[in-house]
Amino acid sequence: MSLERKDEHDHKGWMQERDLTPVESIYLTVLMWLDKRLRIVDYLEILENLYYKVNMQMPKSHTEQYNLDNKFWYWYPLYALGSFSTIAYVVAAVSGALLGFYYSPAAAGASGSPTVAYEQITFIMTDLNLGFFLRSLHRWSAQVMVAAVFLHMLRVYFTGAYKEPRELNWIIGIVLISLTMVFGYTGYLLPWDQLAFWAGQIGVEMALSVPVAGEWAAQLVFGGFTLTQSTLQRMYILHVFFLPFIATTVIAIHIGIVWMQGIAEPH
Ligand code: HEM
């Protein structure tokens, strides 16, 4: 009997021994068909091993570890702040992508009238169906994210979770809080209203105050020493293109490391 035929015989014999429901039998037939061609069971086993490995890494809760009789349950919500930051980020990303359908980063308007960017914001707020809601969702989720990231950092600090072996994730966290603030700043300039304009002016002056490289920094980030179309366009591309790619990747690495290391026990 060839190896293949023996295999078939074994599978069939096994299937007949047990009373399979129709769903089970379809599942097994499909699995065997795929396994014969793609060795899918090997990969499922790898996934299964990974699943158990990851779960083994989950540390005991504080209550279990220190036999605390549930006295510390009220600290637990603070451990959700990282996830809360992630949720706020996703809401901001989705609402931002939708706002992108209506916004245009044009600093010029007809002479004497507001800029196109500002008029698009006015359109979103007053004429677009649920536009005011979409913009508020974006602004609020962004602000909630800033607050959540900051509080998450405090939680990590006060539980000593930044210590060995989690130093790398702390440093990645510093990058993330910086990216969050740059997201906030670039977004703040996009309506190109008075708040945006003067915040931009402060930014240019801060860049110019950097010793030696000041003028170069202002040129690079703001496209010059005064606020122009180049400034708005740079803020726009940073906000909707560079930062989303960079932040999403860094957040994925950050959470991937937490996944591998497990949550820290309090020190
Ligand atoms: C976009 C910003 C951030 C996101 C989305 C994020 C997400 C997360 C998530 C989901 C966790 C799992 C544990 C938890 O939720 O508390 C975590 C853990 C951690 N985060 Fe963040 N984080 C961010 C910013 C930061 C910052 C600013 C720091 C510090 C400078 C930081 C340092 C850490 C460290 C060290 C851990 C491991 C903590 C432990 O094992 O208990 N993260 N982060």
Side-chain angles (χ1 to χ4, degrees), residues 103 105-107 117 189-190 192 228-236:
Y103 174 80
L189 297 205
L190 296 184
W192 216 236
T228 59
Q229 172 66 36
S230 311
T231 319
L232 182 55
Q233 208 154 326
R234 271 160 211 240
M235 295 302 131
Y236 178 70

Side-chain angles (χ1 to χ4, degrees), residues 78-87 89 145 149-150 152-153 155-156 159 161-163 166-167 169-178 180 247 251 254-255 258 261-265:
L78 300 183
Y79 281 73
L81 283 165
S83 304
F84 200 51
S85 316
T86 314
I87 293 169
Y89 178 64
M145 181 179 167
V149 168
F150 183 68
H152 166 63
M153 190 171 92
R155 191 291 282 172
V156 169
T159 54
Y162 56 85
K163 294 180 188 171
R166 296 184 175 77
E167 314 89 324
N169 233 9
W170 174 265
I171 292 165
I172 293 177
I174 308 273
V175 174
L176 280 175
I177 202 168
S178 313
T180 308
I251 290 174
H254 188 71
I255 295 177
V258 174
Q261 296 185 326
I263 305 288
E265 289 294 341

